[in-house]
């Protein structure tokens, strides 16, 4: 789903939902190294601001599950949504395939689209070297309310801090301020960001001290206990989460 890829894009660029609409579609480049682009308008960049643009880079190797989400998202974008516009994310039909508006998605649209995606996610398992989709839902309905459209923004930075990645490198994980305009500077910055991203993934997989790969599971359990699900539903949800996270990393 395109909305899942939008969420991943927010995670790996440490972006607000509104920031996505400031990505220049025509400046995006998908290469063997990964996805490079610029934010031409955010809360801290754009016309009349100190930072006119903020570049970003996402390595092709960035994938917790090993699945090519970046490539899949670009295929969807190029096949169905590659038309001239000054924003990135349009309103997706979300099951109403005969209704498709060519307008920028608002915050409220993002909320609706994300909850539709959550409702369609199925249980998954890792068997014989590949991911298998099950029949049951991945998430209990009340869990849709646990995460907001800004939940992705701080994930990569907080994980990087917990993993011991230096502050000056963490500042480049999302968008970075342009100090030079030369091609060599841009390529050098891209390589640095890609290296940091891959280093973070390696640290998440190998960490045994802080249990980073299970970060957030306690919040999931607290939420579904608070809304008074029965014990069997809670056990099934937590068993599914722990099994999935364990295989991902």
């Amino acid at each position: 789903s395109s909305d899942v890829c939008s969420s991943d894009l927010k995670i790996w660029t440490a972006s607000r939902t509104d920031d996505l609409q400031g990505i220049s579609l025509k400046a995006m480049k998908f290469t063997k190294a990964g996805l490079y682009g610029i934010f031409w308008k955010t809360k801290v960049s754009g016309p009349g601001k100190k930072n006119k643009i903020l570049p970003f880079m996402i390595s092709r190797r960035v994938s917790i599950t090993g699945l090519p989400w970046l490539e899949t998202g670009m295929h969807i974008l190029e096949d169905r949504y590659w038309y001239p516009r000054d924003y990135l994310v349009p309103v997706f039909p979300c099951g109403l395939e005969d209704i498709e508006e060519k307008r920028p998605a608002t915050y409220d649209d993002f909320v609706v689209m994300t909850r539709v995606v959550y409702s369609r996610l199925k249980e998954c398992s890792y068997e014989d070297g590949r991911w298998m989709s099950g029949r049951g839902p991945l998430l209990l309905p009340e869990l849709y309310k646990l995460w907001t459209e800004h939940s992705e923004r701080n994930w990569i930075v907080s994980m990087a801090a917990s993993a011991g990645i230096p502050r000056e490198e963490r500042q480049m994980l999302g968008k970075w301020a342009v100090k030079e305009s030369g091609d060599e500077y841009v390529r050098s910055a891209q390589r640095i960001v890609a290296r940091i991203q891959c280093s973070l993934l390696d640290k998440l997989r190998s960490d045994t001290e802080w249990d980073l790969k299970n970060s957030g599971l306690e919040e999931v359990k607290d939420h579904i206990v608070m809304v008074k699900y029965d014990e069997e539903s809670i056990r099934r949800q937590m068993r599914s989460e722990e099994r999935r996270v364990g295989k991902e990393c």
Side-chain angles (χ1 to χ4, degrees), residues 93-108:
C94 289
L96 304 175
E97 266 58 22
D98 56 332
I99 300 176
E100 188 171 336
E101 302 177 69
K102 289 189 176 181
R103 65 171 176 83
T106 65
Y107 184 89
D108 290 340

Side-chain angles (χ1 to χ4, degrees), residues 59 61-62 193-203:
S59 170
R61 293 176 57 197
V62 165
V193 172
R195 176 182 59 77
I196 298 169
Q197 290 171 346
C198 294
S199 175
L200 174 58
L201 274 182
D202 290 340
K203 288 178 181 295

Side-chain angles (χ1 to χ4, degrees), residues 33 57 172 176 183-197:
M57 174 71 187
M172 296 187 70
W176 69 89
D183 289 343
E184 184 54 38
Y185 167 78
V186 172
R187 286 193 293 269
S188 177
Q190 290 174 356
R191 288 193 293 268
I192 292 171
V193 172
R195 176 182 59 77
I196 298 169
Q197 290 171 346

Side-chain angles (χ1 to χ4, degrees), residues 44-72:
V44 297
S45 67
K49 297 180 180 178
K50 180 180 178 180
N51 295 311
K52 302 299 183 184
I53 62 170
L54 293 173
F56 70 88
M57 174 71 187
I58 304 176
S59 170
R60 266 187 188 260
R61 293 176 57 197
V62 165
S63 175
I64 292 178
T65 62
L67 298 175
W69 68 271
L70 194 55
E71 184 174 353
T72 299

Side-chain angles (χ1 to χ4, degrees), residues 126-137:
Y126 193 74
E127 301 174 12
D128 299 325
R130 62 175 179 163
W131 288 97
M132 306 290 291
S133 178
R135 296 183 179 180

Side-chain angles (χ1 to χ4, degrees), residues 120-125 127 131-138:
R120 294 180 176 180
L121 294 176
K122 300 297 183 183
E123 289 181 320
C124 56
S125 58
E127 301 174 12
W131 288 97
M132 306 290 291
S133 178
R135 296 183 179 180
L138 178 64

Side-chain angles (χ1 to χ4, degrees), residues 14-42:
S15 298
R16 304 174 180 86
T17 293
D18 293 342
D19 289 345
L20 291 187
Q21 302 301 50
I23 290 178
S24 170
L25 185 66
K26 65 181 180 181
M28 287 175 62
K29 296 179 181 179
F30 190 49
T31 68
K32 290 182 179 180
L35 178 65
Y36 171 77
I38 61 172
F39 290 87
W40 67 272
K41 181 178 67 175
T42 69

Side-chain angles (χ1 to χ4, degrees), residues 6 113-115 127 137-138 142 144 174 235:
S6 296
M113 292 188 294
T114 299
R115 291 192 177 184
E127 301 174 12
L138 178 64
E142 281 295 327
Y144 306 167
R235 278 197 301 271

